[in-house]
Amino acid sequence: QQQVKQSPQSLIVQKGGISIINCAYENTAFDYFPWYQQFPGKGPALLIAIRPDVSEKKEGRFTISFNKSAKQFSLHIMDSQPGDSATYFCAAIIWRGAQKLVFGQGTRLTINP
Amino acid sequence: DTEVTQTPKHLVMGMTNKKSLKCEQHMGHRAMYWYKQKAKKPPELMFVYSYEKLSINESVPSRFSPECPNSSLLNLHLHALQPEDSALYLCASSQGDSYGYTFGSGTRLTVV
């Protein structure tokens, strides 16, 4: 019930292409959906986030699409660059006395030059 | 200051040692968290402190003991760890009533 399922596990995209990562959830008590980017040896960094009453949010080359009825959301990276090569985690926040952040399993993205 | 600072960055300890991890933030965040991350896996929540009180313990073994001395500091005391406890330990903080979540760079712990 508190799982977030993420796919694919790994993704290789050519420079300039579109990277797409998908996530799904079951628990309707989740009320905020952030995406994190993590480079090796570093902590996750917030990339972009969306509330479930919004269907799309765009920040620069990064766009979240959210389908509340299907309980699915996705990250699109436009014009992908080698510097975008990292592990991406979708996540969902639920309140249990404090924020509890539940992560998807992660996608290792490689952008080939 | 918009950072969460973790020390040390690397730690090697024997199974009989006692050590502590330290986390500090000066963003006025009232919730602080410990996460454990194994290689190629997502972070897993261990503990949550809200307003300096322990609010969530995800059934973590007692060899891990958290402490929140004040609203800016969070410690994780380690004792009698096992090699399988080797991981990246991440600290994070957030405002109590909004969704900003900031992670530190972590402490890479190796238990030998």
PDB file of all heavy atoms in Angstrom, chain B residues 1 4-8 16 33 43-44 52 56 64 67 77 80-82 88 93 96-97 101-102 108:
ATOM      1  N   ASP B   1      21.701  29.883   4.719  1.00  0.00           N
ATOM      2  CA  ASP B   1      22.268  28.545   4.691  1.00  0.00           C
ATOM      3  C   ASP B   1      21.161  27.573   4.282  1.00  0.00           C
ATOM      4  O   ASP B   1      20.151  27.441   4.966  1.00  0.00           O
ATOM      5  CB  ASP B   1      22.824  28.196   6.072  1.00  0.00           C
ATOM      6  CG  ASP B   1      23.589  26.870   6.061  1.00  0.00           C
ATOM      7  OD1 ASP B   1      23.564  26.171   5.026  1.00  0.00           O
ATOM      8  OD2 ASP B   1      24.192  26.532   7.081  1.00  0.00           O
ATOM      9  N   VAL B   4      22.167  20.801   4.461  1.00  0.00           N
ATOM     10  CA  VAL B   4      22.227  19.848   5.562  1.00  0.00           C
ATOM     11  C   VAL B   4      23.657  19.291   5.560  1.00  0.00           C
ATOM     12  O   VAL B   4      24.098  18.748   4.545  1.00  0.00           O
ATOM     13  CB  VAL B   4      21.211  18.718   5.378  1.00  0.00           C
ATOM     14  CG1 VAL B   4      21.402  17.645   6.442  1.00  0.00           C
ATOM     15  CG2 VAL B   4      19.785  19.270   5.439  1.00  0.00           C
ATOM     16  N   THR B   5      24.353  19.464   6.660  1.00  0.00           N
ATOM     17  CA  THR B   5      25.765  19.078   6.752  1.00  0.00           C
ATOM     18  C   THR B   5      25.912  17.814   7.577  1.00  0.00           C
ATOM     19  O   THR B   5      25.430  17.756   8.719  1.00  0.00           O
ATOM     20  CB  THR B   5      26.589  20.202   7.394  1.00  0.00           C
ATOM     21  OG1 THR B   5      26.422  21.400   6.623  1.00  0.00           O
ATOM     22  CG2 THR B   5      28.076  19.836   7.409  1.00  0.00           C
ATOM     23  N   GLN B   6      26.567  16.811   6.985  1.00  0.00           N
ATOM     24  CA  GLN B   6      26.776  15.552   7.681  1.00  0.00           C
ATOM     25  C   GLN B   6      28.259  15.310   7.893  1.00  0.00           C
ATOM     26  O   GLN B   6      29.071  15.523   6.999  1.00  0.00           O
ATOM     27  CB  GLN B   6      26.199  14.384   6.889  1.00  0.00           C
ATOM     28  CG  GLN B   6      24.692  14.364   6.851  1.00  0.00           C
ATOM     29  CD  GLN B   6      24.154  13.092   6.237  1.00  0.00           C
ATOM     30  OE1 GLN B   6      23.516  13.123   5.196  1.00  0.00           O
ATOM     31  NE2 GLN B   6      24.399  11.967   6.913  1.00  0.00           N
ATOM     32  N   THR B   7      28.607  14.854   9.089  1.00  0.00           N
ATOM     33  CA  THR B   7      29.987  14.468   9.395  1.00  0.00           C
ATOM     34  C   THR B   7      30.001  13.164  10.176  1.00  0.00           C
ATOM     35  O   THR B   7      29.060  12.865  10.934  1.00  0.00           O
ATOM     36  CB  THR B   7      30.688  15.554  10.231  1.00  0.00           C
ATOM     37  OG1 THR B   7      29.909  15.822  11.400  1.00  0.00           O
ATOM     38  CG2 THR B   7      30.884  16.827   9.436  1.00  0.00           C
ATOM     39  N   PRO B   8      31.023  12.320   9.987  1.00  0.00           N
ATOM     40  CA  PRO B   8      32.049  12.454   8.951  1.00  0.00           C
ATOM     41  C   PRO B   8      31.506  12.041   7.584  1.00  0.00           C
ATOM     42  O   PRO B   8      30.413  11.510   7.496  1.00  0.00           O
ATOM     43  CB  PRO B   8      33.128  11.474   9.426  1.00  0.00           C
ATOM     44  CG  PRO B   8      32.343  10.383  10.092  1.00  0.00           C
ATOM     45  CD  PRO B   8      31.186  11.078  10.767  1.00  0.00           C
ATOM     46  N   THR B  16      32.861  -4.046  17.256  1.00  0.00           N
ATOM     47  CA  THR B  16      32.774  -3.781  18.688  1.00  0.00           C
ATOM     48  C   THR B  16      32.876  -2.287  19.023  1.00  0.00           C
ATOM     49  O   THR B  16      32.791  -1.897  20.169  1.00  0.00           O
ATOM     50  CB  THR B  16      33.880  -4.537  19.447  1.00  0.00           C
ATOM     51  OG1 THR B  16      35.157  -4.109  18.943  1.00  0.00           O
ATOM     52  CG2 THR B  16      33.733  -6.046  19.257  1.00  0.00           C
ATOM     53  N   TYR B  33      15.440  13.721   9.707  1.00  0.00           N
ATOM     54  CA  TYR B  33      15.266  12.324   9.328  1.00  0.00           C
ATOM     55  C   TYR B  33      16.609  11.623   9.184  1.00  0.00           C
ATOM     56  O   TYR B  33      17.586  12.229   8.749  1.00  0.00           O
ATOM     57  CB  TYR B  33      14.573  12.232   7.964  1.00  0.00           C
ATOM     58  CG  TYR B  33      13.323  13.059   7.814  1.00  0.00           C
ATOM     59  CD1 TYR B  33      13.400  14.437   7.581  1.00  0.00           C
ATOM     60  CD2 TYR B  33      12.063  12.475   7.889  1.00  0.00           C
ATOM     61  CE1 TYR B  33      12.255  15.201   7.439  1.00  0.00           C
ATOM     62  CE2 TYR B  33      10.910  13.244   7.735  1.00  0.00           C
ATOM     63  CZ  TYR B  33      11.024  14.590   7.518  1.00  0.00           C
ATOM     64  OH  TYR B  33       9.872  15.353   7.365  1.00  0.00           O
ATOM     65  N   PRO B  43      16.785   5.178  -0.862  1.00  0.00           N
ATOM     66  CA  PRO B  43      16.912   5.402   0.586  1.00  0.00           C
ATOM     67  C   PRO B  43      15.723   4.786   1.328  1.00  0.00           C
ATOM     68  O   PRO B  43      14.589   4.818   0.850  1.00  0.00           O
ATOM     69  CB  PRO B  43      16.905   6.926   0.703  1.00  0.00           C
ATOM     70  CG  PRO B  43      17.305   7.428  -0.652  1.00  0.00           C
ATOM     71  CD  PRO B  43      16.749   6.439  -1.617  1.00  0.00           C
ATOM     72  N   GLU B  44      16.023   4.257   2.500  1.00  0.00           N
ATOM     73  CA  GLU B  44      14.983   3.683   3.353  1.00  0.00           C
ATOM     74  C   GLU B  44      14.925   4.464   4.658  1.00  0.00           C
ATOM     75  O   GLU B  44      15.941   4.670   5.311  1.00  0.00           O
ATOM     76  CB  GLU B  44      15.287   2.217   3.662  1.00  0.00           C
ATOM     77  CG  GLU B  44      15.258   1.299   2.473  1.00  0.00           C
ATOM     78  CD  GLU B  44      15.576  -0.135   2.857  1.00  0.00           C
ATOM     79  OE1 GLU B  44      15.930  -0.387   4.031  1.00  0.00           O
ATOM     80  OE2 GLU B  44      15.489  -1.010   1.969  1.00  0.00           O
ATOM     81  N   GLU B  52      11.835  17.998  17.679  1.00  0.00           N
ATOM     82  CA  GLU B  52      12.811  17.417  18.606  1.00  0.00           C
ATOM     83  C   GLU B  52      12.319  16.170  19.325  1.00  0.00           C
ATOM     84  O   GLU B  52      12.989  15.689  20.243  1.00  0.00           O
ATOM     85  CB  GLU B  52      13.297  18.469  19.612  1.00  0.00           C
ATOM     86  CG  GLU B  52      13.929  19.679  18.933  1.00  0.00           C
ATOM     87  CD  GLU B  52      14.115  20.864  19.865  1.00  0.00           C
ATOM     88  OE1 GLU B  52      14.555  20.635  21.000  1.00  0.00           O
ATOM     89  OE2 GLU B  52      13.815  22.008  19.455  1.00  0.00           O
ATOM     90  N   ILE B  56       8.702   8.806  14.395  1.00  0.00           N
ATOM     91  CA  ILE B  56       8.648   7.564  13.622  1.00  0.00           C
ATOM     92  C   ILE B  56       9.952   6.787  13.842  1.00  0.00           C
ATOM     93  O   ILE B  56      11.033   7.335  13.717  1.00  0.00           O
ATOM     94  CB  ILE B  56       8.451   7.818  12.110  1.00  0.00           C
ATOM     95  CG1 ILE B  56       7.112   8.510  11.853  1.00  0.00           C
ATOM     96  CG2 ILE B  56       8.532   6.501  11.329  1.00  0.00           C
ATOM     97  CD1 ILE B  56       6.864   8.847  10.382  1.00  0.00           C
ATOM     98  N   PHE B  64      21.249   0.923  16.535  1.00  0.00           N
ATOM     99  CA  PHE B  64      21.168   2.292  16.030  1.00  0.00           C
ATOM    100  C   PHE B  64      20.343   3.105  17.019  1.00  0.00           C
ATOM    101  O   PHE B  64      19.177   2.776  17.271  1.00  0.00           O
ATOM    102  CB  PHE B  64      20.491   2.340  14.658  1.00  0.00           C
ATOM    103  CG  PHE B  64      21.237   1.632  13.582  1.00  0.00           C
ATOM    104  CD1 PHE B  64      20.967   0.293  13.297  1.00  0.00           C
ATOM    105  CD2 PHE B  64      22.201   2.288  12.827  1.00  0.00           C
ATOM    106  CE1 PHE B  64      21.653  -0.372  12.299  1.00  0.00           C
ATOM    107  CE2 PHE B  64      22.888   1.635  11.829  1.00  0.00           C
ATOM    108  CZ  PHE B  64      22.616   0.299  11.560  1.00  0.00           C
ATOM    109  N   GLU B  67      19.390  10.586  18.313  1.00  0.00           N
ATOM    110  CA  GLU B  67      19.307  11.613  19.352  1.00  0.00           C
ATOM    111  C   GLU B  67      19.140  12.961  18.683  1.00  0.00           C
ATOM    112  O   GLU B  67      19.811  13.246  17.690  1.00  0.00           O
ATOM    113  CB  GLU B  67      20.591  11.622  20.198  1.00  0.00           C
ATOM    114  CG  GLU B  67      20.619  12.690  21.276  1.00  0.00           C
ATOM    115  CD  GLU B  67      22.009  12.915  21.844  1.00  0.00           C
ATOM    116  OE1 GLU B  67      22.999  12.545  21.165  1.00  0.00           O
ATOM    117  OE2 GLU B  67      22.105  13.480  22.944  1.00  0.00           O
ATOM    118  N   HIS B  77      23.785   7.331  16.953  1.00  0.00           N
ATOM    119  CA  HIS B  77      24.799   6.595  17.711  1.00  0.00           C
ATOM    120  C   HIS B  77      24.794   5.143  17.266  1.00  0.00           C
ATOM    121  O   HIS B  77      23.725   4.519  17.142  1.00  0.00           O
ATOM    122  CB  HIS B  77      24.529   6.712  19.207  1.00  0.00           C
ATOM    123  CG  HIS B  77      24.486   8.130  19.695  1.00  0.00           C
ATOM    124  ND1 HIS B  77      25.565   8.978  19.617  1.00  0.00           N
ATOM    125  CD2 HIS B  77      23.466   8.854  20.243  1.00  0.00           C
ATOM    126  CE1 HIS B  77      25.238  10.157  20.110  1.00  0.00           C
ATOM    127  NE2 HIS B  77      23.975  10.116  20.479  1.00  0.00           N
ATOM    128  N   ALA B  80      27.966  -1.910  18.134  1.00  0.00           N
ATOM    129  CA  ALA B  80      27.884  -3.342  17.830  1.00  0.00           C
ATOM    130  C   ALA B  80      27.223  -3.586  16.483  1.00  0.00           C
ATOM    131  O   ALA B  80      26.325  -4.435  16.353  1.00  0.00           O
ATOM    132  CB  ALA B  80      27.145  -4.094  18.945  1.00  0.00           C
ATOM    133  N   LEU B  81      27.666  -2.851  15.476  1.00  0.00           N
ATOM    134  CA  LEU B  81      27.084  -3.010  14.134  1.00  0.00           C
ATOM    135  C   LEU B  81      27.594  -4.277  13.467  1.00  0.00           C
ATOM    136  O   LEU B  81      28.627  -4.840  13.850  1.00  0.00           O
ATOM    137  CB  LEU B  81      27.412  -1.793  13.278  1.00  0.00           C
ATOM    138  CG  LEU B  81      26.794  -0.460  13.702  1.00  0.00           C
ATOM    139  CD1 LEU B  81      26.966   0.569  12.591  1.00  0.00           C
ATOM    140  CD2 LEU B  81      25.339  -0.608  14.087  1.00  0.00           C
ATOM    141  N   GLN B  82      26.874  -4.681  12.445  1.00  0.00           N
ATOM    142  CA  GLN B  82      27.211  -5.837  11.646  1.00  0.00           C
ATOM    143  C   GLN B  82      27.706  -5.389  10.263  1.00  0.00           C
ATOM    144  O   GLN B  82      27.351  -4.287   9.812  1.00  0.00           O
ATOM    145  CB  GLN B  82      25.989  -6.734  11.486  1.00  0.00           C
ATOM    146  CG  GLN B  82      25.379  -7.181  12.805  1.00  0.00           C
ATOM    147  CD  GLN B  82      26.354  -8.034  13.601  1.00  0.00           C
ATOM    148  OE1 GLN B  82      26.942  -8.983  13.070  1.00  0.00           O
ATOM    149  NE2 GLN B  82      26.546  -7.695  14.871  1.00  0.00           N
ATOM    150  N   LEU B  88      25.294   3.923   2.924  1.00  0.00           N
ATOM    151  CA  LEU B  88      25.320   5.391   2.964  1.00  0.00           C
ATOM    152  C   LEU B  88      24.199   5.833   3.890  1.00  0.00           C
ATOM    153  O   LEU B  88      23.035   5.476   3.674  1.00  0.00           O
ATOM    154  CB  LEU B  88      25.116   5.962   1.555  1.00  0.00           C
ATOM    155  CG  LEU B  88      25.123   7.489   1.425  1.00  0.00           C
ATOM    156  CD1 LEU B  88      26.513   8.052   1.700  1.00  0.00           C
ATOM    157  CD2 LEU B  88      24.650   7.903   0.025  1.00  0.00           C
ATOM    158  N   SER B  93      16.160  17.099   6.264  1.00  0.00           N
ATOM    159  CA  SER B  93      15.323  17.950   7.105  1.00  0.00           C
ATOM    160  C   SER B  93      14.203  18.530   6.257  1.00  0.00           C
ATOM    161  O   SER B  93      14.314  18.597   5.017  1.00  0.00           O
ATOM    162  CB  SER B  93      16.152  19.064   7.754  1.00  0.00           C
ATOM    163  OG  SER B  93      16.583  19.999   6.788  1.00  0.00           O
ATOM    164  N   GLY B  96       8.012  21.490   9.054  1.00  0.00           N
ATOM    165  CA  GLY B  96       7.009  20.587   9.599  1.00  0.00           C
ATOM    166  C   GLY B  96       5.718  20.577   8.808  1.00  0.00           C
ATOM    167  O   GLY B  96       5.038  19.563   8.739  1.00  0.00           O
ATOM    168  N   ASP B  97       5.381  21.688   8.176  1.00  0.00           N
ATOM    169  CA  ASP B  97       4.071  21.790   7.564  1.00  0.00           C
ATOM    170  C   ASP B  97       4.121  22.109   6.072  1.00  0.00           C
ATOM    171  O   ASP B  97       3.143  22.540   5.505  1.00  0.00           O
ATOM    172  CB  ASP B  97       3.235  22.851   8.287  1.00  0.00           C
ATOM    173  CG  ASP B  97       3.950  24.205   8.296  1.00  0.00           C
ATOM    174  OD1 ASP B  97       5.105  24.273   7.831  1.00  0.00           O
ATOM    175  OD2 ASP B  97       3.347  25.176   8.766  1.00  0.00           O
ATOM    176  N   TYR B 101      12.086  19.144   1.287  1.00  0.00           N
ATOM    177  CA  TYR B 101      12.865  18.064   1.898  1.00  0.00           C
ATOM    178  C   TYR B 101      14.282  18.235   1.397  1.00  0.00           C
ATOM    179  O   TYR B 101      14.523  18.148   0.196  1.00  0.00           O
ATOM    180  CB  TYR B 101      12.318  16.743   1.373  1.00  0.00           C
ATOM    181  CG  TYR B 101      12.112  15.636   2.359  1.00  0.00           C
ATOM    182  CD1 TYR B 101      10.872  15.448   2.966  1.00  0.00           C
ATOM    183  CD2 TYR B 101      13.110  14.713   2.617  1.00  0.00           C
ATOM    184  CE1 TYR B 101      10.651  14.384   3.820  1.00  0.00           C
ATOM    185  CE2 TYR B 101      12.900  13.652   3.465  1.00  0.00           C
ATOM    186  CZ  TYR B 101      11.661  13.482   4.070  1.00  0.00           C
ATOM    187  OH  TYR B 101      11.437  12.414   4.911  1.00  0.00           O
ATOM    188  N   THR B 102      15.243  18.455   2.297  1.00  0.00           N
ATOM    189  CA  THR B 102      16.636  18.653   1.893  1.00  0.00           C
ATOM    190  C   THR B 102      17.497  17.554   2.484  1.00  0.00           C
ATOM    191  O   THR B 102      17.465  17.321   3.696  1.00  0.00           O
ATOM    192  CB  THR B 102      17.149  20.021   2.373  1.00  0.00           C
ATOM    193  OG1 THR B 102      16.309  21.050   1.840  1.00  0.00           O
ATOM    194  CG2 THR B 102      18.574  20.260   1.891  1.00  0.00           C
ATOM    195  N   ARG B 108      29.363   7.676   4.409  1.00  0.00           N
ATOM    196  CA  ARG B 108      29.610   6.328   3.890  1.00  0.00           C
ATOM    197  C   ARG B 108      30.194   5.498   5.012  1.00  0.00           C
ATOM    198  O   ARG B 108      31.322   5.729   5.428  1.00  0.00           O
ATOM    199  CB  ARG B 108      30.568   6.400   2.703  1.00  0.00           C
ATOM    200  CG  ARG B 108      30.974   5.035   2.159  1.00  0.00           C
ATOM    201  CD  ARG B 108      29.864   4.352   1.428  1.00  0.00           C
ATOM    202  NE  ARG B 108      29.401   5.102   0.265  1.00  0.00           N
ATOM    203  CZ  ARG B 108      28.353   4.777  -0.461  1.00  0.00           C
ATOM    204  NH1 ARG B 108      27.635   3.714  -0.152  1.00  0.00           N
ATOM    205  NH2 ARG B 108      28.004   5.507  -1.494  1.00  0.00           N
TER     206      ARG B 108
END
